Amino acid sequence: METKKYYITTPLYYINADPHIGHAYTTLAADILARHLRAQGRQVHFLTGTDEHGANIEKIAREKKVGPQAWADTIAARFAAMWELLDIRYDDFIRTTQPRHEEAVKLVFENLLEQGDIYKGSYEGLYCYPCENYWEEKDLKPGNLCPVHGKPLQSVKEDTYFFRLSKYENALLNYFEGHPEFLLPKNRSQEIINFVKDGLQDVSVSRSKVAWGIPIRSDPSHTIYVWFEALLNYATAVGYGERLAHSSEDKAAMRALTGGLDMDRYWPADYHLMGKEIYRFHAVIWPAMLLALGLPLPRRVFAHGWWTVNGEKMSKSRGNFVDPAGMAAKYGVDALRYFLFREVPFGGDGDFSVASFRQRYNSDLANDLGNLLNRITNMSVKYLGGTVPEPAQDSAMPAQIAETDSAYNAHMQRLEFDMALNRVWALISGMNRLIDREQPWAKAKTEPEKLPAIFGDLAAGMLAVSGWLAPFMPGTAEKIRASLRGPDGKIQVCPPLFPRLADEAAGPAK
């Protein structure tokens, strides 16, 4: 069998609106991790996609006077276009309206129904239509409001099929204890453990009043609950449907729908990445579903924090959603990618403001990185004709590069993206200090024989920097490499990487 691919996923983004900075944050994190692993020679499979069923999508499509599939097609295309704009290189984009997903989900439901992990009953509870989710009273905000949207809930009663989540309470707790790296980051793990210890209730997994969904094969009057079926995408995308099919005809059909993927090459997932608002679904319900299906659980489930804007939660009513396309158009894709992962630790909450973005742009990118490359290339061309000398034999630079590389890789493995960038910037700052201390412009007149060693160090350090920055700022890394290793093998002067921004009043974050 071929080597297992390192499997990274984002959640499937709900198509109730256009993509915003929160969606971009998760997807960029997955892209950065995937690029880092590929650079190390790992085979990677990076999956993203869109979640397209449910009553809320029916409602929005009706308001827009289009069919739900037409609405889904429009918004899914906007997500794909946004990821292309942000230079995100995923391997697969799954949509829950695709036959490869829908047909496999039907098989999953029937198998769990047959083995008794799904059963029919009735349910009455408080329901949030934007969430497509029932909430227990203990989870609500004051005033019986949805804990995610802060909106009033509706009392709903309907016949439904249930998944026996309660059956897997002890199994989940035992798994959490035996696999301490499963729930990440660590500061969120206890919340999940306590939730399970408080007792798990069986969960509703079908709707009898929602037409826009995947119908149950054995009971087409019900459609499968959007959250239950959407979680299955991680398995359906890599060929799980073929495993479930009983007849040779069904197996052949499922194999054709998934392109003949061998699930053993992908499963289990190595990283599920998501925002903290959907952590419970991924850390409790999804693992219980996998236990019921007899599949290995993912190795890590990582929930990052939320972005606020100028200290306020993003919301349509406030009109403060950050538009990644607008930011990228004004400041460049790589500047946006850098800011998001240098500004706050991945896993924590962060605040987005144009003022803080511009400050980092000017200080980190224009002054530190861009100015360093300009100094190295301009003086190398001026004093050494653009030749690329080697570091001196007694140079400290190779050891500094090795030390930085070791720390960088350790941080990247733990998704400590800000810490990885901190280590890179420490070397960048050290190289700027080296230039200030050695003053090559003075040595060119008094000790020109020392210049090759100085610029050998600087070129070697800058090439290493380009490699570390490549997952975060791929276009910038390529420009650095091209400048240090031109077509003729010589150093070339390139235009400023990040022209300094003039001061301006910070407008809205768009």
Side-chain angles (χ1 to χ4, degrees), residues 111-166:
N111 280 16
L112 293 179
L113 187 62
E114 184 179 339
Q115 73 187 38
D117 278 300
I118 288 178
Y119 63 93
K120 194 172 186 180
S122 63
Y123 191 83
E124 182 173 8
L126 297 171
Y127 192 75
C128 175
Y129 278 94
C131 286
E132 302 270 4
N133 188 42
Y134 285 105
W135 290 101
E136 296 181 38
E137 289 190 13
K138 63 183 177 66
D139 295 321
L140 304 183
K141 285 185 174 181
N144 288 339
L145 302 178
C146 169
V148 174
H149 294 90
K151 295 182 178 181
L153 303 178
Q154 298 188 34
S155 181
V156 174
K157 182 178 181 179
E158 63 178 333
D159 290 337
T160 186
Y161 286 84
F162 288 89
F163 171 62
R164 294 188 192 276
L165 181 63
S166 60

Side-chain angles (χ1 to χ4, degrees), residues 317-487:
S317 61
R318 293 191 182 103
N320 67 347
F321 273 94
V322 178
D323 174 21
M327 291 296 295
K330 186 169 185 178
Y331 300 105
V333 170
D334 279 6
L336 177 62
R337 289 175 65 116
Y338 171 78
F339 174 81
L340 290 174
F341 294 94
R342 181 76 192 279
E343 183 71 1
V344 297
F346 186 62
D349 294 329
D351 187 64
F352 195 105
S353 73
V354 171
S356 57
F357 179 94
R358 291 172 64 87
Q359 191 278 330
R360 276 218 179 266
Y361 181 106
N362 278 336
S363 66
D364 296 6
L365 300 180
N367 290 1
D368 294 343
L369 177 64
N371 189 47
L372 175 62
L373 182 65
N374 286 342
R375 298 173 92 184
I376 293 171
T377 56
N378 276 293
M379 286 190 282
S380 292
V381 170
K382 182 176 181 179
Y383 300 133
L384 299 175
T387 58
V388 187
E390 295 294 324
Q393 288 189 347
D394 60 350
S395 169
M397 183 59 71
Q400 292 173 4
I401 291 173
E403 181 184 354
T404 303
D405 189 61
S406 177
Y408 172 92
N409 287 326
H411 288 308
M412 292 294 284
Q413 185 177 352
R414 296 190 293 268
L415 304 196
E416 296 168 348
F417 298 132
D418 63 316
M419 297 298 292
L421 288 170
N422 285 346
R423 292 305 299 253
V424 177
W425 249 255
L427 188 62
I428 288 172
S429 297
M431 286 192 284
N432 272 314
R433 288 194 300 272
L434 172 65
I435 293 174
D436 293 340
R437 183 176 65 249
E438 295 295 335
Q439 298 186 344
W441 53 91
K443 281 189 168 57
K445 299 175 182 177
T446 59
E447 301 175 286
E449 70 279 2
K450 292 187 177 180
L451 292 181
I454 294 171
F455 285 101
D457 277 357
L458 293 170
M462 203 63 189
L463 277 173
V465 165
S466 72
W468 297 320
L469 292 185
F472 297 91
M473 299 190 286
T476 300
E478 182 55 38
K479 288 178 183 177
I480 294 171
R481 286 192 293 267
S483 183
L484 295 173
R485 293 286 188 269

Side-chain angles (χ1 to χ4, degrees), residues 28-55:
L28 283 167
D31 182 61
I32 288 166
L33 179 59
R35 286 175 180 270
H36 170 67
L37 291 165
R38 290 183 189 123
Q40 293 188 320
R42 298 291 299 271
Q43 294 187 47
V44 176
H45 189 74
F46 166 18
L47 174 72
T48 190
T50 44
D51 178 4
E52 304 183 2
H53 291 124

